[in-house]
Amino acid sequence: DFSILDSFGTYHRSAARVLDALLASVRKTVSARDIAVAAAASVENPLNRTQNLADLVDKDLARRNLGIKTSLSFYAGVAVDGRSEDLRVQRYGSALIIEPGTITEVIGSCAVAPTGASIQVDILKNRTTIFTTKPTIPARQKTMIPGTLKSNATVAKGDVLQFKLTHVGSTIKGQDLHVALLVRKA
C-alpha cells in the first residue's frame, strides 16, 4: 500500500508528487520501501503540506496504475546441501498463489550452460502451460530467452503454479538454474 499517512491520518502533498512520478513509470518494479524512502525524502514540513487522504482522486486506480510487482522464484539443479547438480527433465516445484495478479515477465539464468541442446522451461497454471512459446536457454548460453506468455497470464488466489523442465542439454545438462516470474498485483 503506497498511501503515505502520518499519525493524524493525513496524506502528504509532497508524497503525492512522488506518487505522480512513480505513476509516470508504470512498468518499473517499485518496492514499498522505495516509495516510503522517496516520500520521506520529499517531505520538508509535513504540518504545512497535508490534505485528507479522502481528497486523493481514485486511490484504487492510482494503486493499479502504479503496477507494483512481486516475484515468484523457482530453482533447479541445486542439491539440498547447496552444491550444483545436473538438470533433469522433471517437475521441480510448485507454488500456491495467495494474491491475484498478472504474470508480466519470466526471467532466468543458469550457472553452468547447457551444451548439445537447449534447456526448455515450462510453467503450468492449474496443469496448463502459461506460454504460447516456452522460454529457453540456448546451448552454450546462461541467460534465458523469455518465451511468449499467453494473453490471459493471470493468476487468482488458490491457483497452483508448477515449474518443470521439458528439455535439458544433451552433452552438459546445465546446472543451478533460477527462474523468476514477475507478477503485477491486481
Side-chain angles (χ1 to χ4, degrees), residues 102 125 129-130 149-155:
T102 301
K125 178 182 85 173
T129 187
I130 64 170
L149 290 162
K150 289 182 177 178
S151 60
N152 63 342
T154 58
V155 290

Side-chain angles (χ1 to χ4, degrees), residues 64-108:
R64 284 193 304 275
N65 287 342
L66 183 59
I68 293 176
K69 294 182 183 179
T70 187
S71 65
L72 178 63
S73 297
F74 294 102
Y75 64 92
V78 179
V80 175
D81 64 4
R83 289 180 298 111
S84 295
E85 64 182 15
D86 285 346
L87 297 172
R88 296 184 299 269
V89 173
Q90 70 177 49
R91 186 181 89 180
Y92 276 93
S94 60
L96 177 66
I97 300 301
I98 58 171
E99 288 189 75
T102 301
I103 299 169
T104 60
E105 190 176 358
V106 178
I107 59 174

Side-chain angles (χ1 to χ4, degrees), residues 20-144:
D20 289 339
L22 290 172
L23 289 174
S25 60
V26 170
R27 293 196 176 271
K28 181 180 176 189
T29 301
V30 179
S31 73
R33 182 185 178 283
D34 293 336
I35 295 168
V37 168
S42 69
V43 176
E44 296 167 11
N45 186 349
L47 297 176
N48 293 333
R49 301 175 190 277
T50 60
Q51 68 182 37
N52 290 328
L53 183 58
D55 294 340
L56 182 62
V57 178
D58 203 345
K59 292 180 291 299
D60 291 331
L61 177 61
R63 205 175 269 114
R64 284 193 304 275
N65 287 342
L66 183 59
I68 293 176
K69 294 182 183 179
T70 187
S71 65
L72 178 63
S73 297
F74 294 102
Y75 64 92
V78 179
V80 175
D81 64 4
R83 289 180 298 111
S84 295
E85 64 182 15
D86 285 346
L87 297 172
R88 296 184 299 269
V89 173
Q90 70 177 49
R91 186 181 89 180
Y92 276 93
S94 60
L96 177 66
I97 300 301
I98 58 171
E99 288 189 75
T102 301
I103 299 169
T104 60
E105 190 176 358
V106 178
I107 59 174
S109 65
C110 60
V112 176
T115 62
S118 298
I119 297 169
Q120 186 176 63
V121 172
D122 198 3
I123 306 288
L124 306 174
K125 178 182 85 173
N126 302 326
R127 299 186 179 178
T128 303
T129 187
I130 64 170
F131 300 105
T132 55
T133 305
K134 294 176 185 163
T136 60
I137 297 180
R140 299 177 189 253
Q141 301 292 317
K142 293 183 178 182
T143 303
M144 179 180 291

Side-chain angles (χ1 to χ4, degrees), residues 151-168:
S151 60
N152 63 342
T154 58
V155 290
K157 183 176 182 176
D159 282 346
V160 175
L161 295 181
Q162 294 177 329
F163 166 65
K164 70 179 195 175
L165 299 182
T166 56
H167 297 106
V168 296

